[in-house]
């Protein structure tokens, strides 16, 4: 275990040294991701300003402030994924294509670990902090709500953090499994696109899917097959408690169970897929 | 027990056969033709601890594939291999801590960072104690004369310097077995020589087992007692470098330097002339004809100097490769249609 921590810290350190040696690039990346987040926030602000009729929250139980906690949570998770996993998943595809995965296979350490963490994109962490600011700001607003104030315990805040952790595990597993398919596809430049399409569905409260055949179909698929829907939903509703007025939702606890089950299952599946991919790996010309 | 043992090792790749033209490319989306490439077919080999063995062979002979199989990077199609008692493709951590692979065409160091950072990463991955790490690194950087370059980003190093760093990275954990795949490719003569010297010294000092592939005859002449010639996926020869001459070459080059005033006419009555450059004449004759040629020439001409040599090794090996390629073509693999 000590080895793994040391190796991880060395990766983190080396990536930071590397990122900082390209100073302008680093700053630009920070600015870009922060600008994206602000535009994202402004977009929903405008939607909510249109009146409740077209609001995301209509009929779903999520009010404006609650929804922004959800949004902040999505930013936090996205930032973690983009800092730790995105560059590595892309690099992993590239390692397979060029045959440089050879070197990872030589090392006396778990190969999945070794290809999952070598590059950390520190600039993406900007949104992580911005997400925290948003979540804290809107949680505070909800706690001072005149009509229906929110009460938060330390336990709930801790749960929120643990749930985010479990959500991140799911995102990691989906991503590394997708990247591993490069072994069979030879080239997988679609990775980013597929990822983008999939994660588009996790950015909204699950209530918006719970209507009609297509909606429920999507809900089922993204809850049980590619379980990205629970990733942001479970932590966000723990904190924002959108349905507290009506006495909560009876499947709240089931969702938590689903989150942890899916985190374990998807991690296990990702390891199977990874090993399977390695056994089909054929390296590339010298 | 031998430190490396290969029994009937085979590796077959299935290769997609891409045809020319747009129409064929579109057709290829629906129906693909594959061809079996037998990169390694039935290799048997035993290497004892402390040996320095060269793998020699034309491009595509199966040298690199064999090294990759031995490193556990790829799985074989059939056959067995054991290195230090481990089956390589099981990728046991205990095995991986004891060997290293260096590939001249690929680099494992972090491109944008100084080599020092990559070395430190290796220290943690291989769990090398700090004092031992420092000692080994000092020793290796001194031997290869790259100490001053440790803090320079790898991308700013020359190819030769980078190769030295790659070697250091591979040797930090003091492997017992080292696989070198064309470690001197693309290097100038001086850099090549440096690396040869280093490898020679290091191997003798540490008594480690090294398998080397190279296209440079100098590398092999300088380093290896034992040469394994591999072509068309099978071993064609296994023995000493000099042994190749005895086994595959039946001819000698005999050069005479004639005294001044001697006529150079009609010399070809003695033997076929390979080169004539007055006052020297060179013949190429079967080994058994050498005495006859010598006595004939010495009787007929005033000779100042005589040398009898083997033809250059490159020439013999090139012939061997051509022959092997021909044999392979004759037994070319069958085509497999469809998916």
């Amino acid at each position: 275990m000590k080895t793994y921590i040391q190796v991880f810290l060395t990766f983190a350190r080396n990536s930071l040294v590397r990122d900082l040696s390209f100073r302008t690039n680093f700053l630009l990346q920070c600015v870009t991701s922060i600008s994206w987040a602000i535009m994202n926030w402004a977009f929903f602000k405008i939607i909510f300003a249109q009146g409740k009729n077209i609001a995301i929250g209509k009929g779903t139980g999520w009010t404006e402030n609650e929804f922004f906690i959800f949004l902040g949570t999505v930013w936090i998770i996205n930032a973690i994924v983009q800092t730790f996993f995105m560059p590595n998943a892309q690099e992993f595809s590239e390692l397979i294509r060029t045959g440089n995965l050879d070197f990872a296979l030589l090392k006396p350490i778990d190969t999945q670990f070794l290809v999952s963490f070598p590059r950390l994109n520190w600039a993406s962490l900007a949104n992580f902090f911005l997400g925290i600011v948003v979540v804290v700001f809107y949680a505070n607003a909800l706690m001072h709500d005149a009509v229906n104030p929110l009460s938060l315990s330390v336990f709930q805040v801790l749960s929120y953090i643990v749930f985010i952790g479990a959500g991140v595990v799911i995102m990691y597993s989906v991503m590394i499994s997708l990247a591993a398919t490069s072994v069979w596809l030879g080239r997988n430049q679609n990775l980013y696109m597929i990822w983008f399409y999939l994660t588009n569905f996790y950015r909204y409260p699950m209530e918006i899917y719970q209507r009609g055949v297509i909606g429920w179909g999507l809900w089922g698929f993204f809850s049980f097959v590619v379980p990205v829907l629970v990733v942001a939903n479970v932590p966000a509703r723990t904190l924002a408690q959108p349905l507290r007025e009506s006495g909560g939702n009876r499947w709240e606890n089931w969702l938590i169970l689903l989150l942890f089950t899916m985190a374990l299952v998807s991690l296990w599946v990702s390891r199977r897929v990874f090993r399977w991919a390695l056994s089909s790996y054929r390296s590339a010309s010298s | 027990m031998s430190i490396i043992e290969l029994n009937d090792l085979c590796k077959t790749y299935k290769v997609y056969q891409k045809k020319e033209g747009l129409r064929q490319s579109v057709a290829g989306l629906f129906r693909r033709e594959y061809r079996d490439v037998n990169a390694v077919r039935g290799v048997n080999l035993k290497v004892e601890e402390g040996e320095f063995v060269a793998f020699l062979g034309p491009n595509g002979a199966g040298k690199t594939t064999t090294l990759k199989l031995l490193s556990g990077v790829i799985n074989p199609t059939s056959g067995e291999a054991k290195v230090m008692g481990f089956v390589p493709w099981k990728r046991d951590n205990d095995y991986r801590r004891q060997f290293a692979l260096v590939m001249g065409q690929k680099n494992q160091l972090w491109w944008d960072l100084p080599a020092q950072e990559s070395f430190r990463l290796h220290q943690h991955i291989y769990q090398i104690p700090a004092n031992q790490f420092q000692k080994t690194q000092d020793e290796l950087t001194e031997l290869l004369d790259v100490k001053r370059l440790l803090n320079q980003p790898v991308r700013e190093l020359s190819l030769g310097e980078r190769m030295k760093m790659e070697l250091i990275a591979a040797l930090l954990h003091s492997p017992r077995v080292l696989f070198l795949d064309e470690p001197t490719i693309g290097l100038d003569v001086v850099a090549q020589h440096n690396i040869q010297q280093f490898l020679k010294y290091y191997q003798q000092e540490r008594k480690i087992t090294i398998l080397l592939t190279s296209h440079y005859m100098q590398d092999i002449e300088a380093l290896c007692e034992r040469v394994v010639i591999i072509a068309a996926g099978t071993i064609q020869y296994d023995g000493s470098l000099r042994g190749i001459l005895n086994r595959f070459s039946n001819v000698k080059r005999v050069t005479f330097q004639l005294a001044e005033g001697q006529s150079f006419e009609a010399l070809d009555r003695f033997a076929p002339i390979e080169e004539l450059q007055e006052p020297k004449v060179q013949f190429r004759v079967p080994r058994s004809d050498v005495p006859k040629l010598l006595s004939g020439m010495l009787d007929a001409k005033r000779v100042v100097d005589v040398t009898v040599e083997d033809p250059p090794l490159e020439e013999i090996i090139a012939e061997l490769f051509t022959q092997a390629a021909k044999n392979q073509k004759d037994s070319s693999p069958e085509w497999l249609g469809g998916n």
Side-chain angles (χ1 to χ4, degrees), chain B residues 14 27 39 147 162 172 184 193 236 246 248 261 265 316 325:
Chain B
K14 221 170 209 189
K147 202 160 207 172
R162 213 176 73 211
L172 281 172
T184 56
H193 183 74
Q236 313 277 337
N246 298 331
F248 295 101
E265 266 170 38
I316 299 169

Side-chain angles (χ1 to χ4, degrees), chain A residues 11 16 18 36 44 51 53 57 62 69 76 87-88 114 138 142 152 155 191 194 197 204-205 215 217 219 254 267:
Chain A
F11 280 149
L16 189 61
R18 180 172 163 275
W36 175 85
F44 286 109
N53 285 336
W62 292 77
I69 288 185
I76 291 173
N88 292 306
L114 201 60
Y138 284 101
L142 277 179
L152 279 180
F155 178 73
L191 183 63
I194 296 174
Y197 295 140
Y204 306 102
W219 176 85
W254 287 109
L267 190 63

Side-chain angles (χ1 to χ4, degrees), chain B residues 165-185:
Chain B
M165 295 299 189
E166 290 281 342
L167 270 173
I168 295 173
L171 294 174
L172 281 172
H173 63 284
S174 310
R176 269 176 73 200
V177 173
L178 179 61
F179 303 122
L180 297 167
D181 190 22
E182 302 185 32
T184 56
I185 197 157

